[in-house]
Amino acid sequence: IYYSVLFGTVLVAFCAVLVVGLSGAVVRRAVLSLGCGGLIAGALLAPYMTPYRQARTVVGERSIGEALVYSAKPADYLAATPDNRVYGALNAGPHEKQLFPGMLAILLALVAFWPPISRQRIAYLVALVLVVDLSFGPAGVSYEWLREYVVPYRGLRALTRAGGVALLMVAVLAGFGWARLERTEWLAR
């Protein structure tokens, strides 16, 4: 449920960036395709929603305090897993809060933004910024608004899990960066 809610939220911002400036016909096709995908995802998630609603009646909404305890902090993005041979010494927190993607991934993600910069790269950057903010829970900018207006956010406790989606965005951006390096003359030699 967590990843569905978090990824769905990020997907809205991601798609909004992608459709800016496109023709009406292209936007309509994109909305239709995403709508069909959303219906399929909803049908697949429906069986999980009944136990979730039942648990919500028993447990109730998660408190802001709970969400804060289980949210990431900026330092968690520098915490590697203890068994990591290169960065293991950076380990500074519980398993879910070890969100360091590695220096190579970070550097390649930065390379992705050498001009020219495509709309897709900007969309992934917007998604990355949003999901990192979501991982901070109540200490972030967007959580309170989402908690107020998007009901599933009231049941989320471990918002640090948004860090997993952030790592996915870094991986995609690192892929763009690597593709850019492959096209450079000095790497092609």
Side-chain angles (χ1 to χ4, degrees), residues 9 11 17 23 40 66 72 75 77 88 93 95 113 135-136 157 160 184:
T9 303
L11 192 60
V17 172
S23 71
I40 292 169
E66 276 182 294
Y77 284 93
H95 176 68
F113 291 99
S135 75
F136 296 151
R157 180 181 63 155
T160 192
T184 61

Side-chain angles (χ1 to χ4, degrees), residues 91-121:
N91 181 30
H95 176 68
E96 279 189 326
K97 293 188 176 188
Q98 296 164 346
L99 301 172
F100 184 61
M103 284 306 298
L104 183 59
I106 292 169
L107 292 173
L108 286 170
L110 290 172
V111 168
F113 291 99
W114 282 349
I117 302 171
S118 68
R119 182 181 313 193
Q120 291 84 2
R121 292 169 199 217

Side-chain angles (χ1 to χ4, degrees), residues 153-168:
Y153 274 90
R154 297 177 196 167
L156 299 183
R157 180 181 63 155
L159 288 149
T160 192
R161 292 179 184 168
V165 181
L167 295 176
L168 172 65

Side-chain angles (χ1 to χ4, degrees), residues 67-156:
L68 191 57
V69 167
Y70 295 102
S71 293
K73 295 170 183 53
D76 295 331
Y77 284 93
L78 298 175
T81 58
D83 57 342
N84 184 308
R85 291 179 190 245
V86 178
Y87 304 111
L90 296 175
N91 181 30
H95 176 68
E96 279 189 326
K97 293 188 176 188
Q98 296 164 346
L99 301 172
F100 184 61
M103 284 306 298
L104 183 59
I106 292 169
L107 292 173
L108 286 170
L110 290 172
V111 168
F113 291 99
W114 282 349
I117 302 171
S118 68
R119 182 181 313 193
Q120 291 84 2
R121 292 169 199 217
I122 292 170
Y124 278 104
L125 178 63
V126 167
L128 175 61
V129 169
L130 174 60
V131 79
V132 167
D133 178 64
L134 286 174
S135 75
F136 296 151
V141 174
S142 56
Y143 173 76
E144 288 188 32
W145 186 88
L146 287 166
R147 181 179 168 85
E148 179 72 25
Y149 295 105
V150 183
V151 175
Y153 274 90
R154 297 177 196 167
L156 299 183

Side-chain angles (χ1 to χ4, degrees), residues 8-72:
T9 303
V10 170
L11 192 60
V12 170
F14 180 82
C15 290
V17 172
L18 286 179
V19 300
V20 168
L22 297 178
S23 71
V26 172
V27 172
R28 279 190 293 282
R29 279 196 312 268
V31 168
L32 180 63
S33 297
L34 287 169
C36 290
L39 288 173
I40 292 169
L44 293 172
L45 284 173
Y48 295 101
M49 294 311 292
T50 301
Y52 175 78
R53 276 190 235 110
Q54 291 170 343
R56 186 171 177 225
T57 59
V58 174
V59 176
E61 294 179 355
R62 301 296 187 165
S63 72
I64 299 277
E66 276 182 294
L68 191 57
V69 167
Y70 295 102
S71 293

